[in-house]
Amino acid sequence: MVFVDKLKDLVKNEKNKYTIDELLDHFGTGSIVVALVLATIITSIPLPPWGGGFETIPGGGLSILLALQGLLGFEKLYLPKFLKNIEVNVKIVKESEYTEKTLNFIDNHVEPNRYDWAFNGILEKVMYLLVIPNALLMMVPIVFTNGPPSQCITLMALAWLLSDGFYFLLMLGISAFVFVAYIILFFVFAKLLYRTRRTWTFGLWR
């Protein structure tokens, strides 16, 4: 599990600030999927919202760009220079208990090459297709609509990098479920607002 070893090196390193280009060089192969992890891992940590829901917009936009490259069959990640030069502070990731628990879970439960038939071109495209709607949810500036979609993207990409087909298939299913669940909630909420429109507009909406 080369990716995990490099992630552990990153967590143990004293340096806290890296450019995206430096992080991609650190992790090496699988640059598009690695970039998906890097784009979402900070907003996937279960912490209280610190930007009113807006903090996940950059990661969501970058995730869509990455997913489109994957769908188009790019073998190597392409990013404009200004994006590569963006500096990321990984201190939150290092200090989070969530990171330590995730690494311990990987050590104890992940089995590389399990269900290796799951790692095929079709399911890889499915992963990128599922990234897009979850990334769009990340970009909705409403509290509680950002964390689960971000976590779905992070965990799908991690499962792919760790080559554990069981967790990869599981995360594909969960990611699809999360998107559908949010769409249903949006429709229910919109219907509720419509029914109560005369109340919440103080009678101005007729």
Side-chain angles (χ1 to χ4, degrees):
M1 293 187 288
V2 177
F3 176 80
V4 175
D5 294 335
K6 291 187 176 182
L7 181 59
K8 289 179 179 178
D9 289 341
L10 187 72
V11 171
K12 293 177 182 178
N13 198 306
E14 294 182 359
K15 185 177 178 179
N16 288 326
K17 293 184 177 180
Y18 298 84
T19 64
I20 290 178
D21 197 31
E22 287 175 333
L23 289 171
L24 290 172
D25 286 340
H26 176 78
F27 287 104
T29 58
S31 56
I32 293 179
V33 185
V34 169
L36 282 172
V37 175
L38 298 178
T40 57
I41 191 167
I42 292 178
T43 51
S44 292
I45 295 173
L47 296 172
W50 46 267
F54 288 90
E55 68 275 6
T56 57
I57 292 177
L62 182 55
S63 294
I64 292 174
L65 175 62
L66 297 171
L68 290 174
Q69 291 188 35
L71 287 171
L72 291 173
F74 282 44
E75 293 184 3
K76 188 176 181 181
L77 171 69
Y78 168 77
L79 285 178
K81 189 174 182 179
F82 76 92
L83 285 178
K84 288 185 177 181
N85 291 333
I86 291 176
E87 199 170 65
V88 178
N89 192 328
V90 298
K91 186 177 180 180
I92 297 176
V93 178
K94 290 182 176 183
E95 295 179 350
S96 173
E97 293 181 4
Y98 177 75
T99 302
E100 184 178 353
K101 289 178 180 178
T102 299
L103 291 173
N104 289 335
F105 181 87
I106 290 172
D107 288 336
N108 295 327
H109 299 284
V110 170
E111 298 179 22
N113 303 317
R114 177 166 52 172
Y115 300 169
D116 57 354
W117 52 265
F119 298 98
N120 58 68
I122 294 175
L123 289 182
E124 182 180 6
K125 300 296 185 188
V126 170
M127 174 179 68
Y128 292 130
L129 285 172
L130 287 171
V131 165
I132 293 174
N134 279 284
L136 288 172
L137 286 171
M138 287 177 63
M139 298 175 71
V140 177
I142 302 175
V143 179
F144 303 124
T145 62
N146 312 127
S150 177
Q151 290 160 5
C152 284
I153 295 173
T154 302
L155 294 175
M156 269 197 303
L158 271 176
W160 177 269
L161 290 169
L162 297 174
S163 301
D164 190 324
F166 172 77
Y167 287 113
F168 179 60
L169 293 171
L170 179 65
M171 286 314 306
L172 289 180
I174 291 175
S175 297
F177 172 79
V178 166
F179 172 65
V180 172
Y182 271 110
I183 294 301
I184 293 173
L185 286 174
F186 284 149
F187 274 112
V188 170
F189 186 65
K191 193 172 183 179
L192 178 64
L193 286 179
Y194 180 78
R195 286 179 176 175
T196 59
R197 64 192 183 283
R198 292 186 180 180
T199 301
W200 58 264
T201 57
F202 303 99
L204 296 177
W205 184 287
R206 298 292 181 181

